[in-house]
Amino acid sequence: MEWLKSAAASAVSRGPAFGYSFGDRVDLDDSIWALHNGTKKDDGSKCSIFAFDINANKSRLPLAKNALRKWRTLRHPGVVRVLDTLETDTNIYIATERVVPLGWHVKRNALNTETIKWGLYTISTTMRFVNEDASSIHGNLRVSSIYTTESGEWKLAGFEVLSSLKEEDPAIYTYGGLLPDSTRYAAPEIGRGGWDGLKNQAIHVTDSWNMGTLIYEIFNGYFSTADQLSQIKSIPPPMGTPYKRLTQTNPKMRLPISHFLEQGKRSNGFFDTPLIRCCEFIENMGVKDDREREEFLQNLEDTKDQFPEEFFKAKVLPELLKSVEYGGGGPKVFSVVLMIAEKLNEDEWESTITPCVVRLFSSPDRAIRVFLLDNLPRMIEHLPKKVVSDSIFPQLVTGFSDVAPIVREQTVKSILIIIDKLSDRQINGDLLKYLAKTQNDEQPGIRTNTTICLGKIAKNLGQHTRAKVLAAAFTRSLRDPFVHARNAALMALAATADCFDETDCATKCLPAICVGLIDKEKIIRVQAQKTMDVFLARIKTLTANMPDSALPPVDANGVPTGTSAAAGGGGVAGGAPRMGTPQNDASWAGWAISSFTKKLGSVTGEIQAQGTTATSGVSTPAGEESGTLGVPSSTTGNTGSRPGSSSLQRQAFGGMNTNTSRGGGGGGGLMADDGGDDDLDAWGDMDDTPKTVEEKKNTTISGFGRTTMTTTEDDVISSFAANKGKSSLPKGLGKKTTTSTTTTTPASNSTGTGAVKSRPIVSRAVKPAAKKVLPAAATTTAAKKKTEEEGDAWGNDNWDVDWK
């Protein structure tokens, strides 16, 4: 075989240029030709090459030359299509479409009855053309003269003795006997009178006989004598009677092939089959109306298993694709295309279906777009990632803005199918912008599907984008009036809980989920509880390894480890904080009280009276009544004394920048509890924003008394020092008043532990800060407005920004 290839190539190289390359040889029986698979040099397309070696078969050279001449001029759909020919002194080459000998299939018994009927119908149609339209005798109709194309169609060749009766010297009369195995296939009249005897016979007689032998061999196999042809055997009964007339020994009684064809095409005839009707419709599909096209497609779907795969791939599929794109076939035709495409391999898909799909996505036809979106699951595995991201996605996203709700909804659903074939830039950029719009769509179903879509593509989002977008989108959906949208948001939150850190879980997600616990719909309340449990478990997991406290550890004296003892000043070593935070106390109230008493036990030195008498274990300056720290006020019923600036006082109040007064009550420098309710304003505004030093100095807080004053630490110390040693209150402070006046006399030095040095005092008038009380209605309205503003913030914070 290699020798033959080299010989053929050498012969071609010596002769005119031949634009085809030889491949493997295909064995042929009863033929003068050597068949090779070939390729076209220009584009690599497949072809077949019939080669005749002149030197090896000089006696049959007239047959090869006649076949070459007739093959060039004969044009019919049922004839093997010629691409190019080449004739040299040593060889004759005929390049044709890629074909396979029919004998291969017959020997392997690989043909079913419907396929055989379809093939015989095609050959009968071609032979009618040869006999009647071309007024010619084929003379070599047999299995070895028929080939099958890649579409499974049967095509006629073997034109070695094809002769027109209009010619002066028809080749069949002279060279008919040169055909391989001519005696076995010759009609009875030829055996009796030779090939010249055909001059007195009808034009169809020899071809009708050979049509009968062809039918016998296809259904029953090889025959050796003409006597065997009388037995029908496996030939279908409806074809039995016409077959017998084809094989009549009397040529005048022999049935013409055209009549055989007409009998088969009758209603319920042996050629009235779905496959044959399909072939005829496909060839004329462009001129059929919508009703006929719809009926044909329905029949095609019902009988798809009866057709050869090759026929569907190479014959039906191209015609259907043309109908979809240019013939107005629409979705119904394309559904059949996808049915056929299921049997294609990846290369066939990419070369045949993919270009059509890309073009259809650019079509403005909504019906086509919806059909494509519905059937994306059947196509996505065959579409390369580059094709989806570069060609399909830019066209697909136009559906997000379509005026038809069904297009928008199907577009949202399709994202789940193509998400794995999009780039990160497309997912975190363009796609999120479009989904932000559909989450505000007027159709509740589209809003719900957008939420579901976001939940399912969460793993495809970027790490930075994921938490911000999901938290904003899901919390927005939790406020949706459509119950299924809220339920989808809760389910999506539960499914994507791993995407949030502990801060987002506690500050963004849980507050929004809590609203669902009191939803009017039970389905939302149940799902909200489930989602709440998921996030609580998530937070528990994230905080399991957190330290018990962020405060630094302290030693036995309450000094933070690593802090210098001289850093605190005052009477307590190290200036330790007023209260500690023991780690082992079980009760939150217990640790506060025990910590405070522990501090009292750790203070060194004694509380010394300064010219006063002790009462109730607490000392006060002589002649001074207890009252507001640093600003004496009149009291009744309590004459106890306290130190002017003791170390205990410096410990307990050294860190405070504010002053409190309690009118009418007794007590000492430590705030005495009269059994009344604490003022909640003492906790401040509960504002998390840290205050500056100046703000701390000018903070206004309400004390336990009836008066409210604005003061600083310097005011406390200077006022207390200025009144040291006096037996009576300064003028103007003898009665309960809301205004006090201090003098500018420098305070004298005091002795004792923790004495405060004198410093100049700036006189100032302290006005009571009247507590502003809003009317009940105003307060309620303000609170409601704040609540609504805070509620709108969930899901809307930076929503538009996040999608950019």
Side-chain angles (χ1 to χ4, degrees):
M1 186 172 67
E2 295 297 330
W3 175 84
L4 181 62
K5 289 183 183 179
S6 62
S10 176
V12 172
S13 64
R14 292 194 300 269
F18 191 57
Y20 299 87
S21 300
F22 286 81
D24 298 333
R25 178 175 175 173
V26 181
D27 292 332
L28 284 179
D29 295 332
D30 299 333
S31 177
I32 66 174
W33 301 95
L35 180 62
H36 295 264
N37 290 327
T39 55
K40 190 175 182 179
K41 294 179 180 179
D42 293 343
D43 55 10
S45 58
K46 297 178 180 180
C47 69
S48 291
I49 301 175
F50 290 82
F52 180 81
D53 188 350
I54 295 177
N55 295 327
N57 285 304
K58 287 184 178 180
S59 61
R60 291 176 175 174
L61 180 59
L63 298 179
K65 287 188 174 183
N66 185 73
L68 177 62
R69 184 174 65 254
K70 296 296 183 179
W71 219 337
R72 285 174 177 172
T73 58
L74 193 62
R75 293 289 184 268
H76 188 272
V79 174
V80 176
R81 182 165 52 91
V82 177
L83 303 177
D84 197 2
T85 61
L86 177 65
E87 184 176 3
T88 66
D89 294 338
T90 58
N91 292 276
I92 296 176
Y93 300 111
I94 303 176
T96 68
E97 60 182 318
R98 175 62 66 86
V99 292
V100 174
L102 177 63
W104 282 16
H105 304 292
V106 174
K107 289 179 179 180
R108 292 185 292 113
N109 196 24
L111 301 172
N112 58 43
T113 302
E114 294 300 320
T115 302
I116 293 174
K117 289 180 179 179
W118 172 44
L120 291 175
Y121 172 81
T122 303
I123 296 301
S124 298
T125 303
T126 306
M127 287 304 302
R128 181 180 62 178
F129 166 78
V130 171
N131 290 156
E132 296 185 356
D133 297 341
S135 300
S136 299
I137 302 173
H138 187 278
N140 190 29
L141 184 60
R142 61 181 74 176
V143 173
S144 60
S145 299
I146 299 173
Y147 300 86
T148 60
T149 65
E150 292 182 317
S151 63
E153 297 175 278
W154 293 13
K155 296 292 185 75
L156 183 64
F159 303 119
E160 287 75 27
V161 294
L162 178 66
S163 304
S164 172
L165 297 183
K166 298 178 182 180
E167 297 175 352
E168 293 182 1
D169 187 15
I172 190 170
Y173 300 153
T174 305
Y175 304 110
L178 297 177
L179 291 171
D181 206 5
S182 60
T183 303
R184 187 165 64 90
Y185 288 101
E189 60 273 15
I190 296 176
R192 293 191 298 266
W195 292 91
D196 289 340
L198 294 177
K199 295 179 180 178
N200 301 321
Q201 300 294 336
I203 195 172
H204 70 274
V205 293
T206 186
D207 288 334
S208 295
W209 175 267
N210 289 148
M211 187 70 185
T213 60
L214 174 67
I215 294 173
Y216 184 92
E217 284 194 318
I218 290 175
F219 282 106
N220 299 324
Y222 180 83
F223 75 97
S224 57
T225 62
D227 295 337
Q228 294 177 259
L229 300 178
S230 61
Q231 301 175 8
I232 295 178
K233 294 185 178 180
S234 298
I235 297 175
M239 197 182 293
T241 300
Y243 163 75
K244 288 182 177 182
R245 293 191 60 187
L246 288 172
T247 54
Q248 283 283 341
T249 57
N250 184 357
K252 295 182 179 180
M253 299 294 294
R254 201 169 294 160
L255 182 68
I257 295 179
S258 58
H259 292 180
F260 172 78
L261 178 64
E262 293 298 328
Q263 290 184 15
K265 291 175 62 176
R266 294 173 183 174
S267 179
N268 298 322
F270 48 85
F271 284 155
D272 186 18
T273 66
L275 181 57
I276 295 174
R277 289 195 298 268
C278 173
C279 293
E280 289 186 331
F281 189 94
I282 286 292
E283 293 175 356
N284 301 284
M285 193 170 183
V287 297
K288 300 296 183 178
D289 56 27
D290 292 341
R291 183 189 60 80
E292 292 175 321
R293 185 184 292 114
E294 184 174 351
E295 183 179 356
F296 160 72
L297 294 175
Q298 184 62 45
N299 293 333
L300 190 62
E301 291 183 1
D302 295 341
T303 59
K304 60 182 179 179
D305 296 333
Q306 301 179 12
F307 298 95
E309 292 185 11
E310 296 80 7
F311 172 73
F312 268 110
K313 293 178 183 178
K315 183 66 176 180
V316 178
L317 186 59
E319 296 297 331
L320 293 179
L321 290 174
K322 292 178 184 178
S323 177
V324 171
E325 293 191 65
Y326 312 111
K332 292 183 178 179
V333 175
F334 197 73
S335 64
V336 181
V337 169
L338 293 181
M339 177 190 69
I340 299 173
E342 293 176 355
K343 300 180 180 180
L344 301 179
N345 57 40
E346 292 301 323
D347 293 337
E348 293 170 337
W349 237 98
E350 187 173 355
S351 61
T352 306
I353 307 299
T354 298
C356 179
V357 172
V358 173
R359 290 191 293 268
L360 289 178
F361 263 104
S362 61
S363 172
D365 189 343
R366 283 197 182 98
I368 287 289
R369 173 62 63 86
V370 172
F371 180 84
L372 290 173
L373 296 176
D374 284 341
N375 289 273
L376 263 179
R378 301 170 62 183
M379 300 185 292
I380 194 63
E381 294 182 358
H382 305 285
L383 298 174
K385 182 175 182 180
K386 182 175 178 58
V387 171
V388 175
S389 59
D390 295 349
S391 302
I392 293 180
F393 180 74
Q395 298 296 334
L396 183 144
V397 295
T398 59
F400 284 112
S401 304
D402 196 87
V403 297
I406 187 173
V407 177
R408 300 198 303 273
E409 183 171 8
Q410 292 302 117
T411 304
V412 172
K413 293 179 179 180
S414 68
I415 297 302
L416 299 177
I417 303 169
I418 68 171
I419 189 68
D420 292 331
K421 297 199 174 183
L422 300 180
S423 64
D424 292 339
R425 178 185 58 82
Q426 289 173 321
I427 295 174
N428 297 287
D430 298 339
L431 177 60
L432 292 184
K433 291 180 182 179
Y434 288 111
L435 291 180
K437 294 180 180 178
T438 55
Q439 203 186 28
N440 286 325
D441 197 275
E442 61 182 7
Q443 297 293 326
I446 297 178
R447 298 196 302 269
T448 303
N449 286 328
T450 301
T451 301
I452 296 173
C453 178
L454 284 171
K456 292 189 175 183
I457 68 172
K459 63 180 183 297
N460 300 98
L461 300 178
Q463 185 175 2
H464 176 69
T465 307
R466 188 183 303 159
K468 295 174 61 178
V469 170
L470 297 183
F474 296 157
T475 52
R476 170 192 285 184
S477 295
L478 287 173
R479 302 192 306 273
D480 197 296
F482 188 52
V483 60
H484 297 292
R486 300 197 301 276
N487 192 48
L490 290 169
M491 296 174 68
L493 278 169
T496 59
D498 293 340
C499 299
F500 303 99
D501 57 21
E502 64 273 13
T503 302
D504 288 341
C505 288
T507 62
K508 295 181 180 180
C509 299
L510 279 175
I513 295 171
C514 287
V515 179
L517 296 174
I518 58 172
D519 196 275
K520 294 181 179 179
E521 301 293 337
K522 183 178 180 180
I523 185 176
I524 302 301
R525 296 194 299 271
V526 173
Q527 186 59 47
Q529 183 62 58
K530 294 179 180 179
T531 306
M532 177 80 69
D533 294 340
V534 172
F535 273 86
L536 289 177
R538 169 73 173 161
I539 293 176
K540 184 177 180 180
T541 302
L542 292 173
T543 58
N545 297 324
M546 283 187 174
D548 293 341
S549 174
L551 298 176
V554 297
D555 56 17
N557 295 325
V559 179
T561 303
T563 303
S564 175
V572 180
R578 178 164 60 99
M579 293 184 179
T581 311
Q583 305 297 324
N584 299 325
D585 294 311
S587 170
W588 68 271
W591 66 253
I593 297 173
S594 62
S595 176
F596 185 74
T597 56
K598 189 179 298 183
K599 283 291 184 289
L600 292 179
S602 64
V603 174
T604 59
E606 298 178 355
I607 298 177
Q608 297 180 1
Q610 301 176 7
T612 62
T613 59
T615 305
S616 302
V618 180
S619 300
T620 57
E624 181 178 338
E625 297 180 354
S626 63
T628 304
L629 180 61
V631 184
S633 60
S634 61
T635 61
T636 59
N638 193 339
T639 58
S641 61
R642 66 182 177 186
S645 183
S646 66
S647 61
L648 176 61
Q649 182 187 25
R650 291 294 299 274
Q651 286 184 82
F653 298 99
M656 298 179 62
N657 297 335
T658 57
N659 215 359
T660 57
S661 64
R662 194 178 189 85
L670 299 177
M671 303 178 199
D673 189 359
D674 61 354
D677 296 332
D678 296 339
D679 190 353
L680 292 179
D681 290 336
W683 293 96
D685 297 330
M686 296 187 181
D687 188 1
D688 295 333
T689 304
K691 291 182 171 59
T692 63
V693 175
E694 291 299 324
E695 290 173 337
K696 288 181 179 180
K697 288 185 177 182
N698 298 291
T699 300
T700 301
I701 66 172
S702 300
F704 291 91
R706 288 189 295 270
T707 60
T708 303
M709 304 168 62
T710 302
T711 182
T712 65
E713 183 177 1
D714 292 339
D715 298 335
V716 176
I717 298 174
S718 59
S719 177
F720 183 63
N723 291 282
K724 177 187 172 187
K726 295 186 179 182
S727 59
S728 60
L729 296 175
K731 184 178 179 180
L733 295 180
K735 297 180 180 180
K736 297 178 182 179
T737 179
T738 59
T739 304
S740 65
T741 304
T742 60
T743 63
T744 59
T745 305
S748 59
N749 291 335
S750 59
T751 60
T753 305
V756 181
K757 296 182 180 180
S758 62
R759 64 181 70 184
I761 300 175
V762 181
S763 66
R764 65 185 68 187
V766 181
K767 297 182 179 180
K771 189 171 183 179
K772 186 175 180 181
V773 180
L774 293 174
T779 302
T780 303
T781 303
K784 181 177 180 181
K785 182 177 181 181
K786 181 177 180 181
T787 301
E788 293 176 349
E789 292 175 352
E790 292 177 352
D792 291 339
W794 293 109
N796 289 331
D797 294 341
N798 300 324
W799 173 254
D800 294 331
V801 177
D802 290 338
W803 298 96
K804 293 180 180 178

